[in-house]
Amino acid sequence: MKTIKKLFLFTVFAITAIGFAQETITNESVVQMVELGFDDYMIIDKINTSDVKFDASISALGEMKNAGVSSEILSLIMEKSKQNTKSKTGIYYTDASGEDKLVQPSVFSGANSNAVAQKLVSGLINSKQKAQLPKTQSNNIIRQSQPEFTFIFAPSVTEVDNMQNNQGSDSGIFNWWFRMASNPNEFVLVKLTVKEKKNLREVITGKESWITSSSGIDPKYALNFAIEEIEGNKFKVTPDSLEPGEYCFIYQGQVPQGRDNQSVFDFSIQ
C-alpha cells in the first residue's frame, strides 16, 4: 500500500513539476504541494532546483505554518530568501504581471528658486529652492493606489566599507544609497508637482528667508508609509492610499564623501 502511495505521489509530483517548470516557486506553490500530499524531501528538492520568490515576513511564514508547512521547509525558505537579497539592493515594486521591477534613480535636471521675488517684497516671503526632474511622468508606472515596495539594503557593513574605499568602482556608484542606509526611515516619500508647460516635475528641497534658512524636505510634505521588516536588510514599505499623480522616494541620510544626492526614486500612480 505504501509503495502504491509513493508511486502515486511521484506521478503527481512529475505532472505538477511540468506545470512549475516555467514558473518561479513561491509561498503559494509550497502550500499547494503540501496540500497535494508531497513529502518534505520532495518539496525541498523542488525548492533547491528551481527559481524562487519567497515572502519571508513573519506574517507570511505564520500563514504557511498554519497551512501545514513544516519547520524544515520554512527554514529553507528563509535561507533562500536571504540568498536572493544579497546582490539586488534597491527599491522594487511588483507590476501587473507579478514581476518585480527595480525603481531606477532619476537625476535632477535643474533647480529653481524664487529668491528674486523675495527681494522685491523686502524679504516678506520665503525663497523656495526647487529641484526639477525631466518629463511630466515617470517611467515607473504603477496601476494601484496602495502599492507595496520592497527596500533591500546591503546585508553587511563590509559592503559599505568596500564602497567607501573604492570610490571609483561600480560598487561605489550603483545604489550607494542602500549601502549607506539601513532601513526605509532614512527615505521620505513626497508628491511631485507637475509643470505641464515646462515638461517637468519638481519638489521643494529648501526654504530661506531674511532670518532663517533650511534644506531638505519639509516634514509637512512627507507622506506616511508603513514599514514591515522581512529580514534584517529587507523591508516591505506600504504607503497610505495615493491619488493618481507623480511621486518619489528621496534619501535623507548621510551622503558619502565625494558623492552628491541629486537623484530620486520616482514613480507614477495611475
Side-chain angles (χ1 to χ4, degrees):
M1 189 68 179
K2 289 184 178 180
T3 302
I4 295 175
K5 179 183 177 182
K6 287 186 177 181
L7 180 60
F8 170 75
L9 289 176
F10 271 118
T11 301
V12 173
F13 178 73
I15 295 172
T16 307
I18 294 174
F20 283 143
Q22 303 301 319
E23 297 180 347
T24 297
I25 301 302
T26 64
N27 295 33
E28 292 74 20
S29 304
V30 172
V31 170
Q32 182 182 356
M33 286 187 280
V34 169
E35 292 175 344
L36 286 171
F38 293 163
D39 290 332
D40 278 5
Y41 77 89
M42 299 171 69
I43 299 175
I44 289 171
D45 182 66
K46 185 61 183 173
I47 292 173
N48 284 328
T49 57
S50 305
D51 292 331
V52 298
K53 178 187 174 184
F54 290 128
D55 179 354
S57 63
I58 294 176
S59 59
L61 292 173
E63 290 175 2
M64 296 184 74
K65 183 175 179 64
N66 291 336
V69 179
S70 70
S71 297
E72 185 177 5
I73 294 175
L74 292 177
S75 179
L76 178 60
I77 287 173
M78 288 189 288
E79 182 60 32
K80 289 290 185 180
S81 184
K82 288 181 182 178
Q83 292 174 4
N84 286 343
T85 65
K86 288 183 179 179
S87 61
K88 59 172 190 177
T89 58
I91 301 175
Y92 294 79
Y93 70 95
T94 303
D95 66 9
S97 66
E99 181 180 354
D100 285 343
K101 296 287 188 179
L102 175 65
V103 181
Q104 296 283 6
S106 294
V107 181
F108 288 130
S109 60
N112 186 29
S113 172
N114 63 346
V116 174
Q118 182 195 33
K119 291 179 180 179
L120 291 175
V121 292
S122 303
L124 295 178
I125 65 171
N126 287 332
S127 170
K128 297 179 181 179
Q129 288 76 49
K130 301 176 182 179
Q132 299 171 332
L133 289 173
K135 302 188 304 180
T136 59
Q137 186 178 94
S138 171
N139 291 326
N140 304 302
I141 298 175
I142 302 176
R143 303 185 188 281
Q144 51 183 311
S145 62
Q146 194 170 28
E148 289 185 353
F149 296 90
T150 301
F151 281 60
I152 303 177
F153 299 91
S156 67
V157 177
T158 303
E159 289 200 22
V160 177
D161 294 336
N162 290 339
M163 184 272 290
Q164 292 175 329
N165 292 331
N166 298 280
Q167 290 291 326
S169 69
D170 289 342
S171 64
I173 295 173
F174 182 70
N175 275 4
W176 60 260
W177 305 268
F178 304 95
R179 292 174 169 83
M180 295 300 296
S182 60
N183 68 75
N185 282 320
E186 296 180 59
F187 291 77
V188 62
L189 174 61
V190 297
K191 186 174 183 180
L192 298 166
T193 300
V194 177
K195 300 291 186 179
E196 294 283 353
K197 292 183 178 180
K198 296 181 178 180
N199 192 32
L200 56 80
R201 294 157 290 160
E202 64 181 20
V203 59
I204 298 173
T205 56
K207 292 182 179 181
E208 184 176 355
S209 71
W210 65 283
I211 299 176
T212 63
S213 65
S214 62
S215 60
I217 303 299
D218 190 325
K220 71 181 181 182
Y221 296 122
L223 302 176
N224 292 327
F225 54 81
I227 301 173
E228 180 183 356
E229 181 177 338
I230 299 175
E231 296 166 11
N233 65 312
K234 185 176 181 181
F235 299 81
K236 181 185 294 183
V237 170
T238 308
D240 291 351
S241 184
L242 302 175
E243 61 185 17
E246 300 297 312
Y247 299 84
C248 70
F249 287 102
I250 302 179
Y251 175 67
Q252 296 283 270
Q254 179 183 358
V255 177
Q257 184 178 1
R259 301 283 178 227
D260 55 33
N261 193 27
Q262 294 299 312
S263 300
V264 297
F265 299 86
D266 61 307
F267 60 95
S268 177
I269 295 292
Q270 294 188 1

